Amino acid sequence: MGAEPGLPRLTIVGAGPAGLAAALAAAGQGVRVTVVDSAEAPGGQFYRQPAAALGARRPQALHHRWRTWQRLRDGLERQVAAGHVTHLPDHHVWCVERRPDAPRPFTVHALLGPDQETPVEVRADAVLLATGGYEKVLPFPGWTLPGVVTAGGAQAMLKGGLVVSGRTAVVAGTGPLLLPVATGLAAAGVTVAALVESADPKALVRRTGALVGRADKLAEGAGYAVELLRRRVRTLVRHTVVEAHGDDRLEAVTVVALDAEGRVRPGTERRIPCDTLAVGHGMLPHTDLAETLGCRVEPTGAGVWADDEQRTDVPGVWAAGETTGIGGAALSLAEGHIAGRSAAARLLGRAPDPGEWAEAAKSRGKLREFFGVLDAVYVPPTHWTEQVTDDTVVCRCEEVTAGAVREAVGELGAGDVRTVKLLTRAGMGWCQGRMCGPAVAGIAGCAETVARRPFARPVPLGVLARAGETAEEGDGIP
Amino acid sequence: MNPLELARAVPGPAFTITLDGRDLEALPGQTVAAALWAAGVTSWRTTRGEGRPRGIFCGIGVCFDCLVTVNDRPNQRACLVRVRPGDAISTQEGTGHGR
Ligand SMILES: Cc1cc2nc3c(=O)[nH]c(=O)nc-3n(C[C@H](O)[C@H](O)[C@H](O)COP(=O)(O)OP(=O)(O)OC[C@H]3O[C@@H](n4cnc5c(N)ncnc54)[C@H](O)[C@@H]3O)c2cc1C
Ligand code: FES
C-alpha cells in the first residue's frame, strides 16, 4: 500500500450497486479507493450472494440483471488485483469523523466482524456514503410473531443463506419489492398463498408520462406479473393484512379489502393459513453517518441531500444510492458512477466535466422521475392506524404498545416523536428506533422527523474510549 | 425444489452444532439464523418484558430481533454471525445476562 503514498484516498462506505459503481468510476481515474462494507461479500442488498462455502453453481437463479453484477464483480476484482481498490468486508462503520485540519481530514471508524469488538480506523481525503437503506414495516396485531419477517429480510435469507422459513408464505404490504420477493420464494419451492398489495397499481396508468421514459422498468414489472401468473400466485390489490395469528409462531393471517379511501371494507375478512408472512411498506434510507458528519438530510428523513455531482453540503463528502433517497438498484448504479467520477476529479484537483457522465445523468433523471411516480402510488393505506389495537407492540425492542403511545399523546400531552420517546421508551432500544420510527409518528399523529443517532452501530464502551488511539490503517500519515 | 437445489449448491460437508444441547446439522457458510431456519426453528429468544418468542425480522442486522447466545456470548445477531463446527447456540432469555 505504501507504494503510492502521494495518491489521494477516497473511502467508500457500502459495497452495494452504488458503492461498487463509485469505486470503479473513481479507481479508473487514479485515486486510491477503500471500500468498507459490513457484509462478507460485495453486492449490497440487490446483488447479495450466497456464502462462498455454500458452493452455489447457479446463484443467478435468484437474481435479476446478472450481467451487470458480473461486470461489477469482475471490475472490482481487477481493481483490487491492480492495487487501486482495497475492499474491507465485514467492517461495520459506526461513525465517520471529520477533522478538517488533519493531514487526511476523515477517519472512518469501524468494528470488525459481527461480534463487533475489534476497532479499525481508515483515514481518507474524501468519503462517499453508499449505505443504502432498510425496510419500513408498519405494525399490526401479531406482527412480532416468529414467522413474520420483512419482505427484504425473506429475500436476504434466500439470496444469502439459500433458506426459507416455512412452506407457505403470504407476501404483503406495498411497493415494488414485493414482486421479486414473491417470485423468488415461489421459485425456491415455497407455496405463495397470496401477494397482498394495499395500493392499486392501476393508478400508475394515469401517470404514464414518467413511465414511458422507462420502458425497461415497465417490462421488468410485466415480467414479474407473468412470473406470478405462471406460478399461480394469487394477487390481491387494494387489500391488506390486518392481523397475524398464532401463539408462539405464525399460523395464519387475516386479509381484508380496502375501499377507495384506504379504509377496511367490512365483511371482506378472509383468513389465509401460512407459516411465513413477508411484509414491507417501502424503504427508508440509512442517513446516520451523514447526520453525524453534519450533512443536510431531508427533514422527513427521506434521504441525504446531494447536488448534481452527488456532493453533500459538507466539503469532501459525497453520497450515492438509496442513502440519498429510495430508487432501486439501477438508480444507485447511476448515482454511484457520477459520485465516483466527481470525487476522483475533485481529489485530483480538477473541476469535473459533467460530459463524462452524461449517460448516467440522463438515466438518473428518468429513474428519479419514475420512482417519484411509484412513491406516490405505493403508499400504505391512509387509515392503517385504525387497525392497530392498543395492545399491539409498536416498538419491538422496548415492547412499547400502541396504547402507551396513544396515552403519551392523549393524557400526557406529547406533541412530537421525541417527547413520545421520552415518555414511553419507544425507539430507545437496540435498533434505536429504526424499526418503529414511522409507526410511532403515525400512531402519535405527529410528523416523521430525522432521528439523531450519534452512532450508526452499537459500540462497546471500551472501543469508544480508545477511539483515535488505534494504529493507522493504510499509509503512515499520523 | 428447495433453494439449495434452485441455486445448484454443492456445499462443503455438513457439521454439527447444538441448540440448547440438541444436535443440529449445519452447512458451512450459513449464518446461525440460516442454520436454524434450515432445521425448522424460527424463534430462539424471548423478550425481556413479556417473555415473547422472537427470531428473524429484518434479516440484515438492523432490527436486533434475532439476538442469540453463541458459545456463552449473549446478544449476537443470528442473521450476521456464521456458524462454525461445534458451536453451542442457546436460546436467549431476556437480556441474556440473567442466568
Ligand atoms: C433486505 C433488502 C433486500 C432487498 N432485496 C431487493 C431485491 O431482491 N430486488 C430489488 O430490486 N431490490 C431489493 N432491495 C432494494 C435495494 O435496497 C436496492 O435495490 C439496492 O440494493 C440499493 O443499492 P445501494 O447501493 O444504494 O445500497 P445497498 O445495496 O443496500 O448497499 C449498501 C451496503 O452498505 C453496507 N452498509 C450499510 N451501512 C453500513 C455501515 N454502517 N457500515 C458498513 N457497511 C454498511 C451494507 O452492508 C450494504 O452492503 C432490497 C432491500 C433490502 C433492505
Ligand atoms: S434479523 Fe434484524 S438484526 Fe438480525
Side-chain angles (χ1 to χ4, degrees):
Chain A
M1 257 193 246
E4 301 165 300
L7 290 184
R9 284 169 167 262
L10 171 67
T11 294
I12 300 175
V13 186
L20 292 177
L24 299 186
Q29 308 296 304
V31 296
R32 285 272 305 143
V33 177
T34 305
V35 181
V36 188
D37 188 83
S38 52
E40 280 194 352
Q45 303 305 351
F46 190 83
Y47 289 116
R48 182 180 288 273
Q49 304 297 316
L54 286 168
R57 285 174 303 165
R58 222 180 146 264
Q60 60 269 46
L62 288 160
H63 276 270
H64 289 267
R65 285 181 246 131
W66 186 251
R67 220 170 293 132
T68 308
W69 164 244
Q70 284 175 313
R71 265 203 301 278
L72 288 173
R73 181 195 59 194
D74 296 350
L76 180 70
E77 278 170 13
R78 263 198 307 278
Q79 295 291 4
V80 168
H84 302 150
V85 173
T86 306
H87 175 213
L88 301 177
D90 221 2
H91 281 61
H92 302 248
V93 177
W94 56 273
C95 175
V96 179
E97 188 187 356
R98 181 165 174 257
R99 279 185 282 187
D101 36 4
R104 297 214 191 267
F106 295 95
T107 305
V108 175
H109 294 274
L111 292 162
L112 194 57
D115 49 2
Q116 304 199 359
E117 283 189 338
T118 314
V120 175
E121 291 180 8
V122 182
R123 304 275 147 92
D125 299 299
V127 293
L128 198 161
L129 305 172
T131 45
Y134 56 98
E135 220 166 352
K136 169 166 116 183
V137 184
L138 298 172
F140 48 89
W143 77 309
T144 53
L145 280 173
V148 180
V149 297
T150 67
Q155 183 79 335
M157 293 290 286
L158 178 56
K159 282 181 173 176
L162 303 178
V163 285
V164 292
S165 74
R167 292 165 186 275
T168 308
V170 169
V171 178
T174 188
L177 180 58
L178 302 183
L179 296 169
V181 174
T183 51
L185 288 173
V190 175
T191 303
V192 180
L195 169 57
V196 183
E197 166 60 66
S198 64
D200 187 350
K202 273 202 227 81
L204 285 174
V205 179
R206 273 180 257 126
R207 304 167 187 254
T208 41
L211 302 182
V212 173
R214 290 306 308 211
D216 58 331
K217 299 296 294 177
L218 287 183
E220 192 179 317
Y224 285 126
V226 169
E227 186 75 10
L228 290 170
L229 274 177
R230 193 167 71 80
R231 300 194 183 274
R232 299 212 173 82
V233 174
R234 174 169 46 152
T235 305
L236 302 169
V237 298
R238 264 223 237 131
H239 279 68
T240 191
V241 167
V242 286
E243 188 167 358
H245 309 276
D247 278 334
D248 289 334
R249 197 197 186 303
L250 179 70
E251 284 160 16
V253 294
T254 295
V255 172
V256 298
L258 296 167
D259 66 16
E261 268 75 59
R263 281 209 167 83
V264 170
R265 278 173 39 200
T268 57
E269 293 82 5
R270 67 177 105 175
R271 199 179 161 108
I272 305 178
C274 57
D275 54 23
T276 301
L277 172 64
V279 58
H281 298 107
M283 296 259 306
L284 297 165
H286 278 298
T287 55
D288 30 33
L289 295 175
E291 277 288 316
T292 36
L293 277 163
C295 303
R296 188 170 133 204
V297 175
E298 300 300 339
T300 52
V304 178
W305 179 88
D307 69 5
D308 283 351
E309 286 180 32
Q310 299 295 139
R311 288 181 297 179
T312 71
D313 62 340
V314 172
V317 182
W318 277 255
E322 294 199 319
T323 310
T324 67
I326 302 308
L331 179 56
S332 297
L333 285 170
E335 290 190 358
H337 180 82
I338 295 168
R341 286 283 180 136
S342 160
R346 301 228 169 247
L347 280 170
L348 295 166
R350 298 193 266 115
D353 166 16
E356 285 178 14
W357 60 69
E359 208 39 38
K362 208 167 111 195
S363 157
R364 176 180 64 183
K366 286 197 172 150
L367 285 164
R368 280 193 186 154
E369 206 185 330
F370 181 82
F371 275 90
V373 173
L374 290 193
D375 266 357
V377 170
Y378 290 106
V379 287
T382 323
H383 300 282
W384 66 269
T385 56
E386 289 171 12
Q387 263 54 61
V388 183
T389 54
D390 277 350
D391 57 2
T392 303
V393 164
V394 173
C395 166
R396 302 173 69 97
C397 301
E398 293 291 319
E399 293 171 89
V400 180
T401 61
V405 172
R406 287 171 179 145
E407 188 188 31
V409 176
E411 271 136 67
L412 306 173
D416 57 74
V417 177
R418 211 183 123 72
T419 313
V420 173
K421 174 172 164 176
L422 292 175
L423 291 171
T424 63
R425 295 194 59 79
M428 283 196 193
W430 275 100
C431 87
Q432 287 290 293
R434 286 181 179 84
M435 292 296 131
C436 68
V440 170
I443 289 167
C446 26
E448 265 180 66
T449 50
V450 185
R452 309 241 160 237
R453 298 184 186 102
F455 308 124
R457 293 284 191 274
V459 190
L461 276 177
V463 170
L464 200 54
R466 290 190 310 272
E469 295 169 13
T470 32
E472 173 83 6
E473 156 94 25
D475 64 21
I477 297 179
Chain B
M1 184 145 8
N2 69 39
L4 288 164
E5 284 169 23
L6 179 68
R8 296 221 201 105
V10 190
F15 51 74
T16 305
I17 60 170
T18 60
L19 173 65
D20 297 331
R22 173 164 68 98
D23 281 358
L24 296 182
E25 279 218 329
L27 295 175
Q30 282 179 329
T31 58
V32 170
L36 295 178
W37 268 21
V41 181
T42 47
S43 73
W44 46 77
R45 100 170 160 103
T46 55
T47 58
R48 277 174 302 160
E50 305 284 320
R52 299 296 299 153
R54 296 280 177 88
I56 285 289
F57 185 58
C58 76
I60 59 166
V62 180
C63 75
F64 293 82
D65 250 2
C66 65
L67 296 177
V68 72
T69 300
V70 182
N71 301 324
D72 292 328
R73 291 188 46 169
N75 296 317
Q76 304 300 298
R77 277 171 289 175
C79 67
L80 298 184
V81 176
R82 302 272 166 202
V83 280
R84 282 157 311 174
D87 275 348
I89 317 293
S90 40
T91 306
Q92 177 167 322
E93 283 168 31
T95 59
H97 293 289
R99 283 189 295 173

